[in-house]
Amino acid sequence: MKLKKLFVILLAICMAASLLTGCGGGSTPAPSGDSAAPSGDSAAPSGDSAAPSGDSTAPSGDSAAPSGAPAASGKTSLNIVADWAGVPNPYDLNASWTCMRIGLTEALVRFGDDSSYQPWLADSWSVADDDLTWTFVLHPGIKFQNGEDLTATKVKESIEALYDAQNPDNGGAGDVLTFMEYTSITADDAAGTVTIVTKEPVPDMPGVMAYPLFAISDAAANAKRDLLTEGPVGTGPYTVVSYTTDHDYQLAKNPNYWDGEVPFETVSWVCVPEPGSRYQALLDGSADVASHIQASDLPALKDAGFNISNVSGARDGYYHVNFEGPMGNDALRKAVFMAIDDETVCNITTGGSYTAGYTPLAPIYTQWGGDNIPDNTAYDPAGAMKILDDAGIVDSDNDGWRELDGKKVELTYVSNSSRQMNEISQAHASLIQAIGIDCKVQTVDSQGDYMRSGNFDMVNSNEIIIATGDPTNFLSHWYTGSGTGYNYSRYSNPDFDKVFEQLKTEMNTEKRYELIAELNRILTEDCVVLLGGYYNFNICSASTVTGAVNPPCDFYWLTKDIKPAA
């Protein structure tokens, strides 16, 4: 009862604070992943000042010594604090992540920790010799949360409902079309098979089917629900009891779950924007599990006996650069890149939450060439100013700011607070100002509308780069054929497009590696992707629970594998 009381108090505080700071994403699609959710960390001072650890008021209630043990074994409820609580809409690019992360939905395929494709709702899959016809064999005996059987027809209807909701002709965002387009879907209920014929070869088709947007839910049941508050009828271990927009989920055990015992009767998932507050919630026992604890606080948690699951390199914190604005000028763009002190921003401003880098695909992925690309934009403010001077981008009226084509250069970062991206934006702006370029930060709840309209100079994203097992979908952000609905930078390079078009249909793995490496090189040399850093993301948990891990794909948070410790 004491734990429950503490968590209720915490929830009340978080809800009150969130009225000011925000902690969810709404239903507007964003570039990928969960970057639209304005959840995460409040801004720290710009420049290279350190973000203080544990920097916000602890939740009310009786505090306890950091023992890593907030509750006794045999517990039937689980308390989670996270940096977001977005809407549960399965047909929205970002919100679909929410549905999978909180245990509502599952997909035909899932990712292993090595990004391999593994069976989930489908036991197996195969592609015909035409490289277009994919057949998925369903696992027998699966039921939806409402007790309805998962049949091949239900899977077909689920995919069709997704494409209908995403259809631009129906007002949809069209994000799903960047993954794959199909010409037909057929269902054989007797055989338990679903056959999808794609418009063109989709080499990473199993990865596409593993992506949260393609999670399977009961389309007929969904049509009778308010998806923005009730969520979909999926096959996952938990169901929505109630949802307070952008603030919290109250979840209950799915009595019809197919894949083993669901360990908790109830789960409370509360949005707590401040990383210091999430850290404190673990320490005082009001939370069992917390997401995205600031890196500087992790050693203390480890010493206190908490479990830490940490992953790095799979997620980029970065900025789309608008090539239709001043940043389309090659000299200005390169100078801006060279003005950024990546090491200080990552290690000091974010407290080590990011690892500095300069290639869109992290160098740990050696198969994609990131470890062989030279850094032509290393931190060099003097060199940056010389580039500007040589290009005639100078302060001709002595007001302290440089001009381009007779006009003062004014740059704007559009940024949300998720994963300390606003802190990075503020630091970048300060460094850019130091080379004579006026630069400001506009903090927003969701960047989606800005991205699609082009109303930005730099706009942040925070994205898993291997969302389908390889970075093809991520790289499509800079493909001309994606249009401004996904190529937010308005970047156009015939050489990039030619290589990307080969990648889209190439089935040979080694050849795909070569093509991806070439795309990585082009983007780096053209100064297209302004990298904030490679995010070091984590999930931390008390010693009284096991199985709370952050997989590299970042899709599976609340699963049946989180259990009370023995």
Side-chain angles (χ1 to χ4, degrees), residues 16-196:
S18 294
L19 292 174
L20 298 176
T21 63
C23 200
S27 60
T28 302
S32 61
D34 56 349
S35 57
S39 58
D41 316 306
S42 62
S46 61
D48 55 32
S49 58
S53 61
D55 54 329
S56 37
T57 303
S60 300
D62 300 331
S63 61
S67 65
S73 60
K75 65 205 276 33
T76 60
S77 62
L78 181 70
N79 295 325
I80 298 174
V81 290
D83 57 340
W84 55 270
V87 296
N89 181 359
Y91 305 134
D92 177 274
L93 182 68
N94 285 331
S96 67
W97 286 55
T98 297
C99 296
M100 188 168 285
R101 280 177 167 176
I102 67 174
L104 303 184
T105 60
E106 300 169 324
L108 296 177
V109 183
R110 66 175 292 140
F111 289 112
D113 287 343
D114 60 354
S115 295
S116 62
Y117 304 135
Q118 298 182 357
W120 206 359
L121 300 181
D123 283 335
S124 63
W125 51 88
S126 59
V127 61
D129 291 341
D130 63 1
D131 292 336
L132 300 173
T133 305
W134 291 83
T135 300
F136 293 83
V137 181
L138 302 182
H139 184 82
I142 298 176
K143 290 184 180 294
F144 288 105
Q145 291 152 342
N146 59 3
E148 292 287 325
D149 291 331
L150 176 78
T151 63
T153 296
K154 287 287 189 180
V155 171
K156 175 178 181 288
E157 291 172 350
S158 177
I159 297 172
E160 289 174 338
L162 167 64
Y163 275 78
D164 184 61
Q166 281 269 321
N167 189 337
D169 292 339
N170 298 334
D175 303 301
V176 72
L177 302 177
T178 67
F179 291 87
M180 71 96 174
E181 295 184 64
Y182 66 85
T183 58
S184 68
I185 305 179
T186 56
D188 186 333
D189 288 337
T193 60
V194 179
T195 300
I196 304 172

Side-chain angles (χ1 to χ4, degrees), residues 526-543:
D526 276 3
C527 301
V528 178
V529 182
L530 181 56
L531 193 68
Y534 310 121
Y535 187 60
N536 305 314
F537 51 105
N538 61 72
I539 288 181
C540 301
S541 58
S543 60

